[in-house]
Each structure stands twice: as structure tokens, then as C-alpha cells.
Amino acid sequence: KIDWGGLKLGEGVNMSTELASQEEYMEDKHALDDALRGLEGHRVEAQARWNTRRQDVAEQERLVLEELRSCFVVAVREAIRKRIDAILDDKQFLRDIDALVGCLTALQTHVGEGSSVLVDVLARVKSRVNELQSDSEIQNLIEAKNYAKLLSNLETLCVMKPALEGWVALDIINIQTKTTRHVSFLLKQAGDELQSGVEHPTFLVFTAVQDFVRLTPLLEKRFPGEMEAAMHDLIQMADSAIRKCVAQAKEMLEIARADGMTTGAEETVARMLIKGYAVAVELGVTDQYQKWMETGLLNQMESKSQHLVGIAIKLKSEDSNASVASAANGILAMFPAFKTFRTEQFNAKAGGVTFPTALEKMKCMPTRPSNDNLVTVFGAYDEVYSAEVDKIVHGLKDYSEDALRKRVAHLVKKLAPHVEELNQHCLVFGQLFALVASAWTYLSCLGKGDFQERKSVLQPHNTQILGVCRLLGLDEAALENHLIQINTGEGKSVALGFTAVLLSLLGFSVDVVCYSSYLSERDYQEFKQLFQFFGVEHFVTYSDFDGLSSSILKSGADVPNIREKFVQFLRGNTAAPRRGDNALNSLVSAVKNLVVSPPAPAPIRRKVLLLDEVDVFFSDAFYGQPYLPSELLHDADGGSVTGYNLLLHVWQRRGSLSKSKQSVAVLREHMLTKQLLSKFPNLAFLLEAELYRILDSVSQFPAGRAPRFRSGEDAYTLDAARGTIVYTDPRTHVPTEKLSYGYVTAFTYFYECDRGKFPPATFREAGQSSSKIGVLPVCGALSYSEIPRLYAFALGMTGTLDCLTEKQDALLKEYFFERRTFLPSTFRKKSLNAGRGGDAKETKVVRRKTVRGKLEGEMEDYFDVLKDEMLEELKKGRAVLIVFADLKRLQHFNLELHRSPPDFPSYSPPQLLTDQLENEERKSVVLKAFRPYTVTLMTKSYGRGTDFVCLSSGLISDGGAHVIITFFPEDDSEEKQILGRTCRQDDPGSARKIIFEDDLEPLGASERLWSAQNLPWDAYLAQCRAATHEKRMAQMDAAHEKVMARHNATLKACEAAEQRQWEEAARLFKEASLKSPAVQGVEDDEESSDSD
């Protein structure tokens, strides 16, 4: 309410109304004028009061705002100072340098450039930063051998010096000088260790070499050129030292041989081998070392000397020095001359589980009435095998190979008519199996001298014998499809090898298929000698799924040779007449048959498929996916000329071409296209789609700019010497030359030529023939899931049969895999995470602590948790494997470790196990992974099939290797495979999953939903994964239906081509190749195949 000098506004209005209503008012106008003047006076007085009051309020507001502004400035200044103090206290300068500079800039803005506050803060910054290079800090780090921290401090200062320029003047000469001096000292120490004489007491000390090599990832960044030269010098010194030791050892061995007595030469050779092996592992040259030592020394030694050297090395394998013991074990495993000693160690561990014990612990589905047949088989096996092994170990030179083969042939003749009812002939089969195993043992002993014992020769262990007998139905009514689970690291490849030999001897043709071509080739080489010994090498093949698919097509026995039929279709009426169409050909053939009687056709062998890791076959990488063969159209000897020139023309004019009908029309009318059509006239049916594929691919290579690769297309390395691009298979994560991305790969060759990575003459000369580049149409589709149906029997072994979901189990039953066997461990296996408390093994989910979207800050919180877990295990002397879902996350964490390494003297930068490594580098990383205080970062592809071996007794006593999984595996089988990298055989081990909450989104999981479930994280995430898996399986079923339609269309297209029904064949080939994916697998020099 407003007071108008005691008169309310309402009262004045009422008074005016009252006066106006009175009759006297009209007569007394002066009374009304007086009233109005009175009202105006009150209004003016009130307005003056209000103006005064408003000025007072405005002044008060100004004073308050000034006070608030002053408080705000102080608050901001203090907040900045606190943030700076936190950065200085944390000392994570490499990680926080941008934040520190930002804080200093903000502080200067608020307090002014010459402010005492800013001067004080800058003084503290300089003081804290200089603490990193104080004499005491440097000396303490050197004495503690905390070289990782020392080099991290140096790099921090080198980064901060320019970053803080204009704020703080940093002089880093002190740490640069002392670090450089000490690195030189370490290099000299390493050189001294390499060059020390074999008789010197410290000859087997190589800690300086280890220290120096472990620091090379950090040293290379600070001293790139110098480190490369230093490593080269170390390798040269090691080579020189080993040569000197070898010469000395040979001289001592010659003296010993002449005198007929030992002179300690064997001990010298043992010490020299151990030192050389340890250095070779550190320098990553184990393959070269092995070849050089075998040719330069071991192969020139007598078997007796080799045996004595082996004994000396075996004694060193129990040395109190963990590094020496580990190197000695590595030597025993590396050289064939000493493998008997390593085998002896293995047999001692594997012999703890007898056949009756394994039989008792074995589980079967469906259950069987009794074990009598298996007992009978093993009795016959053991009797014959024991007798044969006694002959081998006591008279290897006199052992008769021919006699063994004749006995095998005799038994095979007995069993051949009954191969599907072996259960009726258990004694004979047991004897046959024993002789095959004896041959394997015999071959492994060749070249190892006469110093053999039963305990030291290679022999099948009891669970492998049991697995083979179960797989071949010795205790069943008949041979049927069968799957067996055998633990990871317990000889699955050996059991499959024996199964392949036995089946091939009994008249079957055997295809052993694995998801990885690398592992497949490795396993084949292990049994190749045995296949050749019995002459069955032509009846056993090892391959991956793409290789098997290609061989099936080539044979044309089970499905048509799609490539051949497709080319026949493309050539149309220009194709050569089929056999029998030409009367002259028929006449010539008849005359030949009169002159020379054709040999009787060999009996057709029934085929058996042996699956290695069956769960992979029924994963979404294969089930519901097609094998898509493609064909490089050859118009000249050695490859393609016209097609090559057409693609070269498109590449050179890509700037004027686009994915359009106009560009397709231009290419259709080009002379090169017409030349191609003259040789492949029916290509006209598919031409428009093929030209569009070419234009679509070249559009990914804009002129003058970087390529726009799609998923997987940039995952390649260059073999310039061979002129080859090698891709990493997105399904197996293994590098392979049998993979290409169709026209994208062709244009990638041109792109790399333009960059100078390949000699121009290799691909760029128009008119030359090319076996890699040309027109490459897709021929059709073959469903991977149909492969087992092409075989009489399908048998398999896997490590994860008990991890299949209900849907996967139902799929197996669709392929008649009703029989299941679960073998017990061969060893006295320890439990994973034995002795660890619940909190130490429970899955940990790191939740977001910052605002969503600020990924870098969130990842720092998560990485800190990973580092804490890693450091806790390192302090126990353990090895740590950290498994990442992809390379990007691995590299991010590796960068964080580089920016902020753990402050622990025994810590050294981690090893990286990724697809980017060459084979020799990969082998070196795997060999060094299971050593005390070693951290290895690896992508999940190495969680399957990678044989990490623990050679360190110290590591075993400290708990073995610890595995940290940084994601929730897609299914139980993937998780089991990754966990199987530790706690192998009878070694201890532990594992834990530590997951960033954002990574759970694909599972539909979150902390909020988990809280409502009242479940442990593992149980809750398993529920979410099961629901996700159901959706994925539904998608796989839908994909399978589509693939089968294309599969059937391909077979019909081949029939139409055979009948020369060109238009029908064109329609069906087009239907089969519709929406062909980009990935193509090259099967050999002239063939390629697609695979989703």
C-alpha cells in the first residue's frame, strides 16, 4: 500500500464521488478545485519520497553486488589454487599438464599478471616440478632400480618445460645428464654381462641385460636413434660372445673325446646355452638363436655329450636363481636334443591321473551301461605299448620300423570290415592304438641318442587315450557323431592327431578343421611325420573353415566346383566343349583305352570331419554365414590383363567417376570392358552390378586424401618383398594371406604403390598379367553350417562343451551330436582363485564419477582401478595378463601407464600382444609373459589358442599368473577360454573381471538395474548376457535361412550352367550373390573366396 500523506487514494476517489453527487457541488466549484489541488500535492510529495527510496535501494544493490563479486573472485582464486595444489600433490603431470596450464591461465585472468598470489603459486609449481629431478630423488630411484619411474620423470620434465614456458623457467639439465649417464652405464653393464667369460662366477648373471631391454619402450621415445643402435650393438655383442663360447666348448669337447673322460665341457655348454637362451628371449631373437645353436654346436655333438649337457641343464632348472631356472626350462623345451628331460617333467605331472581314475571321473551323455569295453581296450593297449616302449628305450637303433608297419597292416586288415562296430573288437583295437602310439613315441626319440628311459619319452597320457576310445565308439553300439570336452592345455591336438591316424588307417578320409589357419598348420606339423610313417598323409588334411570350404569346392565330389561352373557360365558358348561332346575326343579316348588299360579306380573313402573347438563353428562368425567364392577372370597366362587394366583405368580417373548410372554407362562402353565381354560374354548379365561394385570401392579412395576404409579394411600389413597385403581375419584375429576385401583390396594395392610402399613395376605397368588384381565377381554362396552334413561322421573336441547355451545345444542336436563326453583333467589341477577371498575374485564394475559424456575423465577413474589391481598382484611377484576387448582400449590404457607408471621398483613397461606383431615378435612376447613382475596387455583374440607356459618355479610359488578381463565376455565359452590362459595343468592362477560401467550398455545392464536385483554382479550380468544371446541367436537363425536360400540357388545355378541354360544360370547366380559382403578370402594364387 502507498501512503499519500495520510490520505489513501481510495479515500480521495470516494470524496470526489461524494462531492459530485451533492447538489451543492455544482454551486460551489471552488470546493472541488481545492480537493483536486490537495490530491495533486499529496501525489507530488509521495513521488518524491519514492524516488529517494529507489535511489537508496539501487545503492544497496550496488554495494551487495560489489561484495558478491569480491567474494566470487576470492572463491574462484581459492578453487584454482586448490586445483593446482591437487595437481602438484598428485604429481601426475603428464596426465594433468593441460589442466595445470589452464588453471594458471585462469588464475592470471582473475588476479592479474603481477599478483603476489600468482607469483606464489608459480613458485610452488616450480618447486614441486623440480622435486622430480632433485639429486636425492634421482639417487633413490637408481638405487631402487626404479628405472621406469626415473625415465617417466625425465619425460615429464621434457614435456613440462615447453608447456610452462612463459610461466616457469625450468632447467632440466640435471636429470637429462644423470639419466643419460646411467642409461650408458646400464648399457655398459649389459655389454659386460654379455662378454663375460663362461668360467666367470657371474657368467649366469644377466640382470643388466634384462633391466636394459625392459626399459627399451621408454628409452626409444626419449633416445630413438640411439636405442636402435644400442640394441643392434647388444645383439652383435651377444653373437660374438656366443661364438666365442661355442668355440671354447668345442675345444673342450674334443679334448674330452680324445682323453675318453669328461673335463667339465658339458657343464660349460649347459651354462653357455642357458645364458644364450636368456639373452635371445630378451632380445627377441629366439628363432635365430635356436637355428644357430643347433647347426653350430648341438648337431655336431655326440649323443652322449648331448645327454650329459641335458643333465646339467636339468639341474639348473631347479636353481635358486629364478631367471636361471626359467631359462633352463626354456632350453629343455626348445631344443629337440633336450626335450626328453622336459618330457620327463611333463610325464611326472601327467602320470598322477591313472586310467581307472580318469574312467571313474569321466561323465557321459547319455550314460552308458558299463566301462568294461574301455577297460579291455586299455588293458590290450597298455600291454602292447609297454612292450614296444621298452624296445625303443633299450634298443632304439635296432627297432624295426618295417615290423611295426606290418603288424599295423595286419591289425587294420582285421578291423577294416568292422570300422563302425569297433566295440566288438576291443582287444584288436587296443593293440592297433598301442602300435600307432609306439610309432609316435619312436619318431620322437629319433636323433636323441640311446639315453632314453620310459619316463622321459613322449607318450600319450591316460585322458587322451580315453578320449580317443570314446570318440571312436569303443564302448558304444556303433560309431556315431560325438563331441568330447578336454581341458585347455591338456593335449587336445594330440588326441585329434591320433584319431585322424586311426581313422585314416581304417579306410576313412579325414578332414581336421579349426577356426584358425595358424593353429591348424601348427597342429598338422606336429603329426606330419606320423602321417608319413604310415603312408596316410594323402588321406588327412588340416585346414581352417575357409580352406576346407575351398577344398570341398575343388574336389567337386560333394558339391559342384562353383568356380569352375561359374567360369563356364561366363564364357557361355565360347567355352570349350564338355568331355563327350566332341566325337574326335571320344575316339581318341577309346583308342587310348585299347592301348593302355586304365588302372582300377581306387575305392572311394568315406569322409570323417574332426572339429577342433566345435563351439566356434556354431558361433555367429560361422553359423548363418556364407562362404562366398569369387573368381579372378583370367584372360592370359598367369592372371588377368584386361581386368587389371580396367581397374587401373578406374583408379587413375577416379576423380571424374562416381557411384552413378552415368559412370556405369561410361565404363560399360569402354574398350576394356568390351574386350572383357568378348572373352566372357555372359558377364553381360551381371555387368552393371559388377561395375557398380568397382565404383563403390574406388569411391573410398578420394584423390589426394586418405582412404575411407570400412570395418576391417584397414587392418593390414605390407609384405613389400613379396608384393602382398596381409589382412587380419576379423573372425579369428589372426593375420592371413588368404583374405582380401575384393575391389577395395585391389585399389589398396594401387594406393600403396602411389605412396611408394610397393615398387611401381609390381602392379602399375599396364599390359602385364596380374594374379592379384582384376575383375573379381562373386560366384555364389556356400553355407558353412552345411559342411558337417557332407560327411559320414562328424567328431570333435573342444574345451568348452559345458558352456553351450540351450540354443547352441539344440543346434548341435540338429546335426546329430547326441553323444557328449566330459573328460577329467590329466593333472592334479588347482582351482582358479584358490585361497583368494570373495572380494578379490568378484567382478568389479567401475561406475561413472563424472558427468556422462566426459569420457576421458571417466576412463582415468577406471584405469586407476585397473592399475591398483595390477600393482597389488605385481607386489606379490606375479605375472599379470590384462585382456581388452579391442586394440583401441588397450592402447588407451597403455598410454595411461606411460603417463602415470606405478611407483614400484620392479615395474617395467608392459608387453603388448596384438595382431600388429610379426610372428617372431609374438613368440617372444608369449615366452616372456609368464615371468615374475611382468605385465602383458593383450587383445581378446589371444585368449583362445595361445599357449602361455610357466617356466619359473618362483612364479608358481608366488601364485602363478593373474588375469584381468576388462569386459564381460560374449558367452561362457569365451570366458572359459580366456580364463584358461592361467591355472593351466597343475599350475596355480587367478582371475578377475574389472569392467567400466559404460561397456555394459550392449548387454542392457546398468548399476541402477543391478541395485534392484540384489544379485552379485556376475550373476546379474550373466542374466543380461543370456537375454542378449537369445536375440543374437534369433538373428543367426534368420541369417541362416537367407544363407541357405543363396546356398540352394548356387547349386541350382551350377546345374543350369552345366545344361547351358544361360539366362536361368544368370538369374540364379545373381540371386546367390545378392548383397555380397566385402570380405573375400584368397585361397591360393589364382582363387579367392568371400566370407562374411
Side-chain angles (χ1 to χ4, degrees):
K1 294 181 179 179
I2 301 177
D3 185 355
W4 294 77
L7 176 65
K8 299 294 189 292
L9 182 61
E11 294 177 1
V13 173
N14 290 337
M15 187 183 74
S16 300
T17 303
E18 182 180 352
L19 290 173
S21 64
Q22 294 175 8
E23 187 174 357
E24 293 88 354
Y25 170 73
M26 297 302 297
E27 298 176 357
D28 193 355
K29 186 176 180 297
H30 295 289
L32 179 57
D33 291 339
D34 290 342
L36 291 174
R37 280 194 293 272
L39 286 172
E40 179 63 18
H42 286 301
R43 186 191 67 76
V44 172
E45 183 180 355
Q47 184 66 47
R49 290 184 187 178
W50 171 246
N51 288 338
T52 302
R53 178 60 178 159
R54 187 173 57 184
Q55 291 173 0
D56 292 342
V57 170
E59 179 64 18
Q60 290 176 6
E61 287 179 352
R62 186 185 65 77
L63 294 174
V64 169
L65 286 174
E66 286 184 359
E67 185 176 354
L68 287 174
R69 188 177 295 110
S70 176
C71 293
F72 175 74
V73 169
V74 172
V76 169
R77 183 183 64 196
E78 291 305 310
I80 294 173
R81 291 182 61 169
K82 286 181 179 179
R83 175 63 177 138
I84 292 173
D85 287 341
I87 293 173
L88 297 178
D89 291 340
D90 198 28
K91 292 187 178 180
Q92 302 297 334
F93 297 119
L94 279 180
R95 184 178 70 186
D96 297 332
I97 182 62
D98 292 339
L100 179 59
V101 173
C103 286
L104 291 175
T105 302
L107 185 63
Q108 185 183 60
T109 300
H110 283 283
V111 302
E113 185 173 349
S115 167
S116 60
V117 173
L118 181 61
V119 171
D120 178 60
V121 168
L122 291 176
R124 279 189 292 149
V125 169
K126 183 174 183 177
S127 174
R128 288 296 181 90
V129 171
N130 280 331
E131 288 177 5
L132 298 179
Q133 62 172 341
S134 67
D135 291 339
S136 59
E137 173 76 358
I138 295 173
Q139 187 62 33
N140 290 338
L141 293 175
I142 290 175
E143 290 178 356
K145 291 190 174 183
N146 196 346
Y147 303 129
K149 180 66 174 175
L150 176 64
L151 289 170
S152 176
N153 286 355
L154 172 60
E155 180 162 4
T156 298
L157 289 165
C158 289
V159 170
M160 294 192 74
K161 180 178 172 63
L164 294 178
E165 189 174 0
W167 299 102
V168 174
L170 292 177
D171 182 359
I172 60 175
I173 295 298
N174 186 45
I175 192 170
Q176 285 180 326
T177 302
K178 292 187 176 180
T179 301
T180 303
R181 186 184 304 153
H182 195 71
V183 168
S184 300
F185 174 72
L186 285 177
L187 181 59
K188 182 180 182 305
Q189 275 193 319
D192 291 344
E193 286 182 354
L194 291 175
Q195 295 174 328
S196 64
V198 68
E199 68 286 342
H200 197 277
T202 62
F203 178 74
L204 288 181
V205 176
F206 33 84
T207 53
V209 175
Q210 290 177 327
D211 289 342
F212 187 82
V213 173
R214 287 177 181 179
L215 289 177
T216 50
L218 292 175
L219 292 171
E220 285 172 353
K221 295 178 180 179
R222 185 48 46 198
F223 314 101
E226 297 175 30
M227 284 305 101
E228 186 176 347
M231 289 297 293
H232 180 267
D233 291 345
L234 281 180
I235 292 174
Q236 293 299 315
M237 284 189 280
D239 180 72
S240 174
I242 291 174
R243 290 178 185 275
K244 181 179 178 182
C245 289
V246 168
Q248 183 179 353
K250 284 183 177 180
E251 182 180 351
M252 296 179 71
L253 290 170
E254 285 296 328
I255 295 174
R257 187 182 300 124
D259 295 345
M261 58 182 291
T262 179
T263 61
E266 289 79 14
E267 169 69 19
T268 299
V269 174
R271 287 163 57 84
M272 180 267 296
L273 284 170
I274 292 171
K275 176 70 168 284
Y277 174 85
V279 171
V281 170
E282 294 297 337
L283 299 179
V285 291
T286 52
D287 281 354
Q288 297 95 310
Y289 170 76
Q290 180 180 2
K291 291 175 184 177
W292 196 87
M293 294 307 299
E294 285 180 338
T295 57
L297 178 63
L298 294 176
N299 292 347
Q300 301 177 28
M301 293 173 61
E302 294 180 348
S303 58
K304 180 179 179 180
S305 295
Q306 286 184 350
H307 185 69
L308 292 174
V309 170
I311 291 175
I313 294 173
K314 182 185 175 184
L315 292 174
K316 287 294 183 182
S317 70
E318 301 171 0
D319 197 276
S320 57
N321 184 321
S323 297
V324 171
S326 178
N329 280 315
I331 288 286
L332 297 180
M334 171 179 279
F335 293 102
F338 308 128
K339 279 193 175 179
T340 53
F341 298 97
R342 185 66 181 167
T343 302
E344 181 179 339
Q345 295 173 339
F346 179 83
N347 288 341
K349 295 196 295 183
V353 177
T354 64
F355 189 85
T357 301
L359 198 58
E360 179 185 352
K361 293 183 177 181
M362 177 182 69
K363 297 179 181 179
C364 302
M365 296 172 55
T367 57
R368 303 157 302 112
S370 74
N371 292 326
D372 293 346
N373 278 18
L374 296 177
V375 172
T376 302
V377 171
F378 184 76
Y381 169 93
D382 194 45
E383 180 181 353
V384 173
Y385 182 75
S386 296
E388 292 302 309
V389 171
D390 285 342
K391 294 178 188 178
I392 292 169
V393 298
H394 294 118
L396 182 64
K397 293 180 180 178
D398 300 325
Y399 191 76
S400 173
E401 295 182 7
D402 289 338
L404 177 62
R405 291 193 188 95
K406 287 179 180 179
R407 292 174 65 188
V408 167
H410 175 69
L411 294 174
V412 166
K413 189 175 181 180
K414 283 185 176 182
L415 288 174
H418 314 287
V419 291
E420 293 187 39
E421 299 89 19
L422 293 176
N423 61 309
Q424 302 297 320
H425 306 273
C426 293
L427 283 173
V428 178
F429 178 82
Q431 295 167 359
L432 175 64
F433 191 0
L435 293 177
V436 170
S438 300
W440 185 59
T441 299
Y442 164 73
L443 292 172
S444 71
C445 292
L446 293 178
K448 296 182 176 62
D450 299 324
F451 302 92
Q452 309 290 335
E453 298 179 74
R454 172 72 184 264
K455 65 180 181 179
S456 62
V457 297
L458 199 61
Q459 51 195 294
H461 51 66
N462 292 319
T463 53
Q464 290 171 331
I465 298 167
L466 179 57
V468 173
C469 292
R470 278 289 294 155
L471 208 57
L472 297 180
L474 268 298
D475 58 340
E476 301 284 359
L479 181 63
E480 292 180 4
N481 290 4
H482 194 155
L483 296 176
I484 288 183
Q485 176 172 293
I486 185 169
N487 289 332
T488 55
E490 299 197 7
K492 170 167 52 67
S493 60
V494 173
L496 285 172
F498 278 126
T499 304
V501 173
L502 289 166
L503 286 169
S504 59
L505 285 172
L506 293 172
F508 289 100
S509 176
V510 183
D511 291 329
V512 186
V513 63
C514 175
Y515 70 96
S516 164
S517 59
Y518 166 76
L519 296 176
S520 182
E521 177 63 21
R522 181 199 69 181
D523 293 345
Y524 174 74
Q525 291 300 327
E526 287 185 4
F527 267 79
K528 179 180 179 180
Q529 195 175 9
L530 187 63
F531 297 148
Q532 294 172 338
F533 183 86
F534 288 116
V536 297
E537 66 271 22
H538 299 299
F539 308 118
V540 180
T541 66
Y542 278 67
S543 61
D544 60 5
F545 291 109
D546 283 348
L548 177 61
S549 300
S550 181
S551 65
I552 289 172
L553 294 184
K554 284 182 182 178
S555 71
D558 301 298
V559 296
N561 189 326
I562 298 174
R563 294 189 182 93
E564 182 181 283
K565 299 301 180 186
F566 183 70
V567 173
Q568 179 183 339
F569 154 71
L570 291 180
R571 290 190 182 277
N573 294 326
T574 66
R578 291 169 294 173
R579 184 173 297 177
D581 286 355
N582 188 300
L584 179 61
N585 287 344
S586 300
L587 179 61
V588 170
S589 178
V591 171
K592 287 182 177 180
N593 289 338
L594 289 174
V595 177
V596 180
S597 298
I604 298 177
R605 287 175 168 245
R606 288 191 297 167
K607 297 171 64 178
V608 176
L609 178 67
L610 291 185
L611 290 164
D612 184 346
E613 293 297 354
V614 68
D615 59 306
V616 176
F617 181 78
F618 291 103
S619 70
D620 54 7
F622 294 97
Y623 180 75
Q625 299 298 330
Y627 172 81
L628 297 167
S630 58
E631 179 71 10
L632 182 69
L633 300 187
H634 289 206
D635 58 355
D637 293 336
S640 167
V641 171
T642 307
Y644 172 83
N645 289 337
L646 178 61
L647 293 189
L648 180 59
H649 169 78
V650 170
W651 174 258
Q652 292 174 338
R653 289 159 180 79
R654 64 191 184 278
S656 61
L657 297 172
S658 63
K659 296 184 293 182
S660 64
K661 291 182 179 180
Q662 291 81 359
S663 292
V664 169
V666 169
L667 290 181
R668 187 191 299 117
E669 297 302 319
H670 195 276
M671 174 187 65
L672 291 170
T673 306
K674 292 180 178 180
Q675 289 178 7
L676 202 62
L677 287 173
S678 69
K679 293 166 183 173
F680 303 97
N682 282 340
L683 179 61
F685 290 109
L686 312 173
L687 184 60
E688 185 172 337
E690 205 61 32
L691 292 177
Y692 187 85
R693 286 181 63 205
I694 292 171
L695 291 170
D696 179 59
S697 297
V698 81
S699 70
Q700 297 179 221
F701 297 83
R705 287 183 287 170
R708 296 191 293 260
F709 287 121
R710 295 162 185 159
S711 177
E713 294 171 350
D714 58 345
Y716 65 83
T717 57
L718 304 177
D719 186 343
R722 299 174 59 198
T724 302
I725 289 176
V726 181
Y727 285 100
T728 297
D729 192 323
R731 298 163 303 182
T732 63
H733 304 282
V734 175
T736 174
E737 294 183 11
K738 298 180 180 181
L739 192 71
S740 87
Y741 287 79
Y743 295 119
V744 171
T745 296
F747 293 127
T748 302
Y749 275 112
F750 290 144
Y751 170 72
E752 294 296 350
C753 278
D754 285 351
R755 297 175 65 209
K757 301 298 183 181
F758 287 128
T762 306
F763 304 110
R764 295 300 305 278
E765 290 184 0
Q768 71 177 28
S769 174
S770 172
S771 62
K772 294 184 175 70
I773 302 174
V775 175
L776 192 71
V778 176
C779 307
L782 178 66
S783 175
Y784 285 118
S785 60
E786 288 301 287
I787 290 177
R789 301 187 193 278
L790 304 177
Y791 291 81
F793 302 101
L795 312 172
M797 288 191 171
T798 181
T800 55
L801 192 57
D802 58 352
C803 296
L804 300 180
T805 65
E806 290 184 7
K807 178 60 178 176
Q808 289 173 329
D809 185 68
L811 277 176
L812 291 180
K813 290 180 180 178
E814 287 184 20
Y815 290 87
F816 308 107
F817 286 108
E818 297 286 349
R819 288 184 189 168
R820 317 283 177 85
T821 299
F822 301 87
L823 296 177
S825 175
T826 299
F827 307 94
R828 296 184 179 92
K829 196 168 182 65
K830 295 178 174 62
S831 298
L832 184 71
N833 289 322
R836 291 171 69 86
D839 291 341
K841 59 187 179 182
E842 284 291 332
T843 294
K844 185 171 186 177
V845 174
V846 180
R847 302 160 198 167
R848 293 186 292 270
K849 296 182 180 179
T850 56
V851 177
R852 180 176 173 79
K854 295 183 179 179
L855 185 58
E856 184 176 356
E858 292 176 354
M859 295 307 293
E860 289 173 2
D861 297 334
Y862 172 59
F863 287 160
D864 284 343
V865 176
L866 286 182
K867 286 193 289 185
D868 289 343
E869 177 85 4
M870 177 190 76
L871 186 57
E872 181 179 349
E873 301 304 327
L874 286 179
K875 288 180 177 179
K876 301 173 185 176
R878 305 181 68 188
V880 178
L881 298 180
I882 308 182
V883 189
F884 295 87
D886 54 53
L887 180 63
K888 183 178 180 181
R889 182 65 59 83
L890 180 151
Q891 292 172 332
H892 195 172
F893 181 65
N894 185 46
L895 178 61
E896 179 64 20
L897 285 177
H898 173 66
R899 289 175 173 174
S900 177
D903 190 3
F904 178 56
S906 297
Y907 169 79
S908 57
Q911 300 189 110
L912 305 185
L913 183 56
T914 70
D915 296 332
Q916 297 176 321
L917 300 179
E918 300 293 337
N919 285 337
E920 179 70 8
E921 294 175 301
R922 189 180 299 114
K923 182 178 179 180
S924 177
V925 169
V926 171
L927 280 173
K928 293 190 285 186
F930 275 30
R931 300 193 304 185
Y933 307 109
T934 300
V935 178
T936 303
L937 312 183
M938 56 186 268
T939 49
K940 69 177 183 178
S941 58
Y942 293 95
R944 182 188 290 271
T946 307
D947 292 327
F948 295 101
V949 180
C950 184
L951 301 174
S952 170
S953 57
L955 179 60
I956 292 174
S957 64
D958 289 331
H962 181 64
V963 174
I964 303 174
I965 306 175
T966 64
F967 58 97
F968 201 71
E970 287 186 1
D971 51 38
D972 288 337
S973 61
E974 182 180 56
E975 182 170 338
K976 186 174 183 180
Q977 287 286 354
I978 295 173
L979 295 178
R981 298 315 101 196
T982 187
C983 204
R984 294 167 71 86
Q985 298 182 358
D986 61 349
D987 293 338
S990 60
R992 189 182 191 186
K993 293 187 285 291
I994 302 179
I995 307 170
F996 184 50
E997 186 180 11
D998 277 14
D999 295 338
L1000 300 178
E1001 289 182 0
L1003 293 174
S1006 68
E1007 192 273 338
R1008 179 180 59 82
L1009 295 175
W1010 166 74
S1011 300
Q1013 293 287 330
N1014 194 26
L1015 289 172
W1017 269 111
D1018 265 324
Y1020 166 66
L1021 293 177
Q1023 284 184 357
C1024 297
R1025 180 170 64 189
T1028 304
H1029 182 76
E1030 286 296 320
K1031 295 178 183 177
R1032 190 165 76 246
M1033 291 302 296
Q1035 294 171 348
M1036 289 167 57
D1037 286 337
H1040 179 252
E1041 289 184 13
K1042 294 179 181 178
V1043 168
M1044 285 306 302
R1046 297 167 68 183
H1047 175 96
N1048 294 328
T1050 301
L1051 300 183
K1052 292 177 181 178
C1054 291
E1055 292 176 7
E1058 181 69 19
Q1059 300 299 321
R1060 298 189 172 227
Q1061 299 172 359
W1062 305 133
E1063 290 189 8
E1064 178 66 6
R1067 183 185 68 80
L1068 290 167
F1069 275 126
K1070 188 180 294 186
E1071 179 183 333
S1073 303
L1074 190 63
K1075 296 183 180 179
S1076 296
V1079 181
Q1080 298 183 320
V1082 178
E1083 295 308 311
D1084 54 40
D1085 288 342
E1086 299 184 353
E1087 295 176 349
S1088 65
S1089 72
D1090 289 358
S1091 121
D1092 279 341

